[in-house]
PDB file of all heavy atoms in Angstrom:
ATOM      1  N   GLN A 151      17.870   3.317  -2.531  1.00 71.00           N
ATOM      2  CA  GLN A 151      16.570   2.712  -2.313  1.00 71.00           C
ATOM      3  C   GLN A 151      16.520   2.123  -0.921  1.00 71.00           C
ATOM      4  O   GLN A 151      17.500   1.557  -0.441  1.00 71.00           O
ATOM      5  CB  GLN A 151      16.304   1.627  -3.341  1.00 71.00           C
ATOM      6  CG  GLN A 151      16.132   2.152  -4.736  1.00 71.00           C
ATOM      7  CD  GLN A 151      15.796   1.045  -5.707  1.00 71.00           C
ATOM      8  OE1 GLN A 151      15.718  -0.114  -5.343  1.00 71.00           O
ATOM      9  NE2 GLN A 151      15.608   1.399  -6.953  1.00 71.00           N
ATOM     10  N   LYS A 152      15.388   2.254  -0.273  1.00 67.00           N
ATOM     11  CA  LYS A 152      15.222   1.697   1.056  1.00 67.00           C
ATOM     12  C   LYS A 152      14.962   0.203   0.946  1.00 67.00           C
ATOM     13  O   LYS A 152      14.300  -0.265   0.028  1.00 67.00           O
ATOM     14  CB  LYS A 152      14.053   2.363   1.778  1.00 67.00           C
ATOM     15  CG  LYS A 152      14.322   3.813   2.109  1.00 67.00           C
ATOM     16  CD  LYS A 152      13.167   4.382   2.879  1.00 67.00           C
ATOM     17  CE  LYS A 152      13.440   5.833   3.219  1.00 67.00           C
ATOM     18  NZ  LYS A 152      12.338   6.425   3.985  1.00 67.00           N
ATOM     19  N   THR A 153      15.491  -0.534   1.890  1.00 66.00           N
ATOM     20  CA  THR A 153      15.274  -1.965   1.954  1.00 66.00           C
ATOM     21  C   THR A 153      14.261  -2.242   3.052  1.00 66.00           C
ATOM     22  O   THR A 153      14.423  -1.785   4.174  1.00 66.00           O
ATOM     23  CB  THR A 153      16.589  -2.712   2.268  1.00 66.00           C
ATOM     24  OG1 THR A 153      17.538  -2.389   1.257  1.00 66.00           O
ATOM     25  CG2 THR A 153      16.376  -4.198   2.311  1.00 66.00           C
ATOM     26  N   PHE A 154      13.234  -2.973   2.703  1.00 65.00           N
ATOM     27  CA  PHE A 154      12.213  -3.324   3.673  1.00 65.00           C
ATOM     28  C   PHE A 154      12.301  -4.807   3.975  1.00 65.00           C
ATOM     29  O   PHE A 154      12.562  -5.613   3.090  1.00 65.00           O
ATOM     30  CB  PHE A 154      10.817  -2.995   3.142  1.00 65.00           C
ATOM     31  CG  PHE A 154      10.611  -1.524   2.935  1.00 65.00           C
ATOM     32  CD1 PHE A 154      10.833  -0.947   1.706  1.00 65.00           C
ATOM     33  CD2 PHE A 154      10.226  -0.710   3.990  1.00 65.00           C
ATOM     34  CE1 PHE A 154      10.660   0.406   1.506  1.00 65.00           C
ATOM     35  CE2 PHE A 154      10.046   0.645   3.801  1.00 65.00           C
ATOM     36  CZ  PHE A 154      10.258   1.207   2.563  1.00 65.00           C
ATOM     37  N   GLN A 155      12.087  -5.159   5.220  1.00 67.00           N
ATOM     38  CA  GLN A 155      12.111  -6.552   5.619  1.00 67.00           C
ATOM     39  C   GLN A 155      10.691  -7.055   5.771  1.00 67.00           C
ATOM     40  O   GLN A 155       9.844  -6.391   6.348  1.00 67.00           O
ATOM     41  CB  GLN A 155      12.859  -6.728   6.931  1.00 67.00           C
ATOM     42  CG  GLN A 155      14.325  -6.405   6.818  1.00 67.00           C
ATOM     43  CD  GLN A 155      15.047  -6.619   8.125  1.00 67.00           C
ATOM     44  OE1 GLN A 155      14.440  -6.771   9.165  1.00 67.00           O
ATOM     45  NE2 GLN A 155      16.350  -6.632   8.067  1.00 67.00           N
ATOM     46  N   HIS A 156      10.443  -8.217   5.222  1.00 66.00           N
ATOM     47  CA  HIS A 156       9.146  -8.867   5.356  1.00 66.00           C
ATOM     48  C   HIS A 156       9.418 -10.204   6.028  1.00 66.00           C
ATOM     49  O   HIS A 156      10.169 -11.022   5.494  1.00 66.00           O
ATOM     50  CB  HIS A 156       8.506  -9.074   3.984  1.00 66.00           C
ATOM     51  CG  HIS A 156       7.252  -9.867   4.030  1.00 66.00           C
ATOM     52  ND1 HIS A 156       6.067  -9.334   4.457  1.00 66.00           N
ATOM     53  CD2 HIS A 156       6.999 -11.155   3.711  1.00 66.00           C
ATOM     54  CE1 HIS A 156       5.142 -10.259   4.399  1.00 66.00           C
ATOM     55  NE2 HIS A 156       5.685 -11.371   3.946  1.00 66.00           N
ATOM     56  N   TYR A 157       8.869 -10.406   7.188  1.00 68.00           N
ATOM     57  CA  TYR A 157       9.108 -11.640   7.929  1.00 68.00           C
ATOM     58  C   TYR A 157       8.094 -12.699   7.539  1.00 68.00           C
ATOM     59  O   TYR A 157       6.904 -12.423   7.434  1.00 68.00           O
ATOM     60  CB  TYR A 157       9.059 -11.370   9.428  1.00 68.00           C
ATOM     61  CG  TYR A 157      10.175 -10.474   9.887  1.00 68.00           C
ATOM     62  CD1 TYR A 157       9.977  -9.115  10.025  1.00 68.00           C
ATOM     63  CD2 TYR A 157      11.439 -10.987  10.126  1.00 68.00           C
ATOM     64  CE1 TYR A 157      11.007  -8.282  10.416  1.00 68.00           C
ATOM     65  CE2 TYR A 157      12.477 -10.163  10.514  1.00 68.00           C
ATOM     66  CZ  TYR A 157      12.254  -8.816  10.665  1.00 68.00           C
ATOM     67  OH  TYR A 157      13.273  -7.998  11.037  1.00 68.00           O
ATOM     68  N   LEU A 158       8.578 -13.910   7.331  1.00 70.00           N
ATOM     69  CA  LEU A 158       7.708 -15.020   7.005  1.00 70.00           C
ATOM     70  C   LEU A 158       7.079 -15.536   8.301  1.00 70.00           C
ATOM     71  O   LEU A 158       7.685 -15.445   9.369  1.00 70.00           O
ATOM     72  CB  LEU A 158       8.513 -16.114   6.315  1.00 70.00           C
ATOM     73  CG  LEU A 158       9.164 -15.697   4.999  1.00 70.00           C
ATOM     74  CD1 LEU A 158      10.064 -16.806   4.477  1.00 70.00           C
ATOM     75  CD2 LEU A 158       8.102 -15.364   3.968  1.00 70.00           C
ATOM     76  N   PRO A 159       5.872 -16.069   8.222  1.00 71.00           N
ATOM     77  CA  PRO A 159       5.200 -16.560   9.435  1.00 71.00           C
ATOM     78  C   PRO A 159       6.013 -17.645  10.140  1.00 71.00           C
ATOM     79  O   PRO A 159       6.631 -18.497   9.492  1.00 71.00           O
ATOM     80  CB  PRO A 159       3.884 -17.130   8.905  1.00 71.00           C
ATOM     81  CG  PRO A 159       3.685 -16.492   7.581  1.00 71.00           C
ATOM     82  CD  PRO A 159       5.051 -16.208   7.040  1.00 71.00           C
ATOM     83  N   ALA A 160       6.022 -17.594  11.463  1.00 75.00           N
ATOM     84  CA  ALA A 160       6.751 -18.581  12.263  1.00 75.00           C
ATOM     85  C   ALA A 160       6.163 -19.967  12.014  1.00 75.00           C
ATOM     86  O   ALA A 160       4.952 -20.132  11.907  1.00 75.00           O
ATOM     87  CB  ALA A 160       6.672 -18.223  13.732  1.00 75.00           C
ATOM     88  N   GLY A 161       7.024 -20.949  11.898  1.00 75.00           N
ATOM     89  CA  GLY A 161       6.580 -22.318  11.687  1.00 75.00           C
ATOM     90  C   GLY A 161       6.501 -22.717  10.228  1.00 75.00           C
ATOM     91  O   GLY A 161       6.463 -23.905   9.919  1.00 75.00           O
ATOM     92  N   ASP A 162       6.450 -21.767   9.306  1.00 78.00           N
ATOM     93  CA  ASP A 162       6.426 -22.090   7.878  1.00 78.00           C
ATOM     94  C   ASP A 162       7.813 -22.515   7.428  1.00 78.00           C
ATOM     95  O   ASP A 162       8.821 -21.992   7.911  1.00 78.00           O
ATOM     96  CB  ASP A 162       5.984 -20.890   7.046  1.00 78.00           C
ATOM     97  CG  ASP A 162       4.496 -20.640   7.097  1.00 78.00           C
ATOM     98  OD1 ASP A 162       3.792 -21.403   7.791  1.00 78.00           O
ATOM     99  OD2 ASP A 162       4.038 -19.688   6.452  1.00 78.00           O
ATOM    100  N   ARG A 163       7.875 -23.451   6.496  1.00 87.00           N
ATOM    101  CA  ARG A 163       9.164 -23.851   5.939  1.00 87.00           C
ATOM    102  C   ARG A 163       9.657 -22.733   5.041  1.00 87.00           C
ATOM    103  O   ARG A 163       8.906 -22.163   4.254  1.00 87.00           O
ATOM    104  CB  ARG A 163       9.012 -25.143   5.147  1.00 87.00           C
ATOM    105  CG  ARG A 163       8.671 -26.325   6.028  1.00 87.00           C
ATOM    106  CD  ARG A 163       8.346 -27.557   5.233  1.00 87.00           C
ATOM    107  NE  ARG A 163       9.422 -27.888   4.297  1.00 87.00           N
ATOM    108  CZ  ARG A 163       9.309 -28.838   3.379  1.00 87.00           C
ATOM    109  NH1 ARG A 163       8.199 -29.508   3.247  1.00 87.00           N
ATOM    110  NH2 ARG A 163      10.317 -29.094   2.570  1.00 87.00           N
ATOM    111  N   CYS A 164      10.937 -22.392   5.174  1.00 88.00           N
ATOM    112  CA  CYS A 164      11.485 -21.323   4.342  1.00 88.00           C
ATOM    113  C   CYS A 164      12.947 -21.588   4.035  1.00 88.00           C
ATOM    114  O   CYS A 164      13.599 -22.391   4.681  1.00 88.00           O
ATOM    115  CB  CYS A 164      11.313 -19.966   5.013  1.00 88.00           C
ATOM    116  SG  CYS A 164      12.300 -19.759   6.498  1.00 88.00           S
TER     117      CYS A 164
END
Side-chain angles (χ1 to χ4, degrees):
Q151 292 183 359
K152 292 183 180 181
T153 302
F154 295 94
Q155 294 181 347
H156 173 76
Y157 294 96
L158 299 174
D162 283 0
R163 293 173 54 188
C164 68

